[in-house]
Amino acid sequence: MAAILLPSMAHAVTPAATARIVKRHDQMVESLLNQQITDPVSAWCGGYPDNFGIVQPQSAGRIVNAFTAGFLHPQSKFYKDTLLLTRIRLASEHLDRRQNENGNIDLMITNFNSPPDTAFLVHSVASAANVARLHGEKQLVATTQRFLTRAGAALATGGGAAADRRWRGR
């Protein structure tokens, strides 16, 4: 859906295809709205469980990405819906809580303090932030800024400041 939000790519998608894409995307947004944990006392607030009941940080990244597209696309039934802003904020706060002190995240089943998994997540969240920026939605960009800044610092050092100090022998 992000491709149809970018003006330079809009000409490549027919109106009928756009309608089908938006409808399918809206269905995914509805599903994610139902799955997202919104209980403010839950440690998992902002994410949603996978098929094994594990709330991975990637779930919040998917929410940020999907909800941003729905919020910005004029044909979406969620266009400019403030509920999505609230839920994006919850997902962004979840990402902030799930970051390690050096800015990486864990893939809970196998990769802990993982720069590669952090990079995959940054790709998704930064794509949403960039589309929001292109649409002048500064508040959407701001919700992801803390996570992206900390993750960017971790990725720039290949694992974060602590890993960089160990590597340099400090």
Side-chain angles (χ1 to χ4, degrees):
M1 182 136 144
I4 60 178
L5 284 169
L6 298 174
S8 64
M9 298 180 75
H11 68 281
V13 182
T14 67
T18 298
R20 287 192 307 272
I21 292 167
V22 171
K23 181 179 179 184
R24 181 108 185 216
H25 187 269
D26 281 350
Q27 291 169 345
M28 180 180 62
V29 169
E30 286 177 359
S31 176
L32 291 173
L33 282 168
N34 290 328
Q35 293 178 67
Q36 188 181 31
I37 299 166
T38 58
D39 180 356
V41 299
S42 171
W44 311 116
C45 183
Y48 65 91
D50 64 15
N51 292 339
F52 302 103
I54 301 170
V55 181
Q56 301 281 3
Q58 293 80 350
S59 70
R62 185 175 187 205
I63 286 170
V64 169
N65 201 328
F67 289 8
T68 297
F71 182 80
L72 294 173
H73 199 283
Q75 292 178 12
S76 172
K77 70 182 187 178
F78 297 103
Y79 179 63
K80 301 293 183 178
D81 187 332
T82 57
L83 174 63
L84 293 188
L85 291 178
T86 300
R87 298 297 194 88
I88 290 167
R89 192 171 304 107
L90 287 179
S92 294
E93 290 168 357
H94 177 82
L95 290 171
D96 291 343
R97 288 191 311 274
R98 299 298 297 276
Q99 271 182 309
N100 297 327
E101 68 181 43
N102 63 7
N104 286 316
I105 55 99
D106 299 333
L107 179 62
M108 302 298 290
I109 58 173
T110 186
N111 297 335
F112 300 95
N113 192 30
S114 173
D117 291 298
T118 302
F120 292 128
L121 186 52
V122 163
H123 183 271
S124 180
V125 175
S127 295
N130 189 48
V131 170
R133 181 187 61 79
L134 291 171
H135 284 262
E137 291 291 340
K138 292 178 184 177
Q139 65 181 351
L140 277 176
V141 175
T143 63
T144 61
Q145 187 170 4
R146 182 169 194 257
F147 170 78
L148 290 173
T149 300
R150 292 177 64 212
L155 295 174
T157 62
D164 189 47
R165 283 191 299 277
R166 284 192 304 273
W167 179 75
R168 293 180 185 193
R170 295 183 192 170

